[in-house]
Amino acid sequence: MSAAGGNTDARAAPRPAHLPLQGVRIVAVEQFGAGPYGTMFLAHLGAEVLKIENPATRGDPSRQTGPFMLGQDDSQYFQSWNTNKHSISLDIKSDEGRRTFEELLRGADVVLNNLRGDQPARLGLDYAALSAVNPAIVCVHISAYGRDNSRASWPGYDYLMQAESGLMHLTGEPDTPPARIGAPSIVDHMTGITSIVGLLSALLRARETGQGCDVDTSLYDVTLHQLGYTATWFLNEKHLSQRQPRSGHYSLTPVQTFPTADGWIFIMCMTQKFWEALLKALQRQDLATVPAFTDAAARHQNRHRLTELLDAEFKRHPTRHWLSLLEGVLPVAPVLGLAQALQTDFFHESGMLSTVKHAAKPDFHVLANPLKFNGHRPALRACSPLGADTDGRLSALIATDQEDPR
């Protein structure tokens, strides 16, 4: 291990000659969030992702989503969801576009869409329609509420799911208005990741049996699933979880934020060992003998009193002082703003910053993929301009598939 805690052997390992999904072809009829995030992940892992974009509507609407544009029909917002993909201009509702689309699917492994639940059947994007074209095709459907219920035709977005699922009820400080989970579209991210778990599982089966299938998930279902143990508690015990002061844990204390002399810090004493380590660092071992704080149950029951005592201690010194005492001793982190979080030394050490070439911005920065293979993160590139891969790539793919069908 290096002094910084990294695995020097992993870092020295050779970059893989082939990424794990190389040779997998995915055709994506997608826009905005959940679908593009999932297929972007697959593209990073080596899959060939062909993004179908309708030229009549100038492609994926996120290409026109600001505030930071990258020339015509491109934006930083769009690239955040679509790196490593190829853009194919195609109107699949037209006769000619449909014929081309089906030719493309003969050599594909997966077709994915994130349309309203009633649209895949209408557009012939489900397995019932496409199995005649390619029996092994996996048809992945990401919708707002599902394809088989009374809300199949409803549009829906991330923020609506947070509102209806109860997540907003659980987010924020007590006695404040309901709040969504920060700025990023976390439900889109989670739904995209959930969809590719189903996609890859079905793809393994299809390659073994030669038979594809439909795979469904929805923003609504995935958001509910994120409720986790709070849902289990209510469904079984009718226990209604509430917002916790200082973003605290539901049953353990101190697990929450504390003010320092110049900011905030998050402490997580999940075990008695960490509690004792905290008292030693604070030089307050006297609290270990106070009956109200002797064990986890007592500390939680007396959380308000303990919080007041610890607030006074942490306010005595700045955040950096406490981190120097506690880092590596117990779970602790500074509460950082976005600008701080993306400029720390450890952020750069982690390798989560990637620079891709873009005609409008040669030093375009994006977040790297969080996976590593042999110690290396997948290389990233900007998504192609709208329709840039249509003429040459599309005709070459179809010609290759006709010569050597899968």
Side-chain angles (χ1 to χ4, degrees), residues 294-312:
T294 53
D295 57 29
R299 288 192 293 275
H300 186 68
Q301 185 176 356
N302 295 282
R303 179 166 67 176
H304 180 71
R305 178 183 169 189
L306 180 58
T307 295
E308 289 184 339
L309 289 169
L310 294 181
D311 279 356

Side-chain angles (χ1 to χ4, degrees), residues 106-323:
R106 295 184 193 281
D109 297 284
V110 178
V111 58
L112 177 145
N113 75 85
N114 67 330
L115 305 174
R116 282 185 342 204
D118 62 339
Q119 293 301 300
R122 291 182 183 178
L123 295 175
L125 296 177
D126 55 6
Y127 189 71
L130 296 178
S131 58
V133 177
N134 180 352
I137 196 76
V138 173
C139 302
V140 180
H141 312 281
I142 303 172
S143 58
Y145 299 99
R147 295 189 302 136
D148 57 357
N149 55 57
S150 60
R151 294 190 183 184
S153 64
W154 289 22
Y157 292 95
D158 183 309
Y159 299 173
L160 301 181
M161 306 305 156
Q162 293 192 42
E164 187 173 2
S165 68
L167 279 183
M168 289 180 65
H169 165 78
L170 295 172
T171 305
E173 288 294 308
D175 302 320
T176 62
R180 62 181 173 85
I181 305 174
S185 302
I186 193 68
V187 171
D188 283 333
H189 290 179
M190 288 305 303
T191 306
I193 290 295
T194 301
S195 74
I196 68 172
V197 172
L199 180 157
L200 293 172
S201 301
L203 180 57
L204 286 173
R205 178 178 178 274
R207 290 199 162 182
E208 290 179 357
T209 66
Q211 183 176 354
C213 64
D214 288 306
V215 177
D216 280 85
T217 193
S218 71
L219 299 177
Y220 180 77
D221 290 355
V222 170
T223 312
L224 284 176
H225 204 256
Q226 302 314 300
L227 294 175
Y229 49 81
T230 62
T232 303
W233 292 342
F234 180 79
L235 293 172
N236 291 280
E237 309 299 336
K238 295 299 182 283
H239 174 76
L240 185 60
S241 299
Q242 300 292 339
R243 301 179 203 175
Q244 301 297 299
R246 303 273 190 87
S247 299
H249 194 276
Y250 287 111
S251 59
L252 295 172
T253 301
V255 180
Q256 63 186 70
T257 58
F258 291 97
T260 66
D262 63 350
W264 290 84
I265 196 169
F266 207 115
I267 299 292
M268 297 192 71
C269 292
M270 304 291 287
T271 66
Q272 187 70 15
K273 172 186 173 181
F274 290 141
W275 164 244
E276 293 169 359
L278 176 63
L279 295 184
K280 181 178 179 180
L282 293 173
Q283 296 183 356
R284 288 301 308 268
Q285 289 95 331
D286 58 296
L287 295 178
T289 60
V290 176
F293 308 140
T294 53
D295 57 29
R299 288 192 293 275
H300 186 68
Q301 185 176 356
N302 295 282
R303 179 166 67 176
H304 180 71
R305 178 183 169 189
L306 180 58
T307 295
E308 289 184 339
L309 289 169
L310 294 181
D311 279 356
E313 295 296 331
F314 282 114
K315 286 179 180 178
R316 293 170 51 225
H317 298 288
T319 300
R320 186 65 258 171
H321 169 82
W322 296 117
L323 293 177

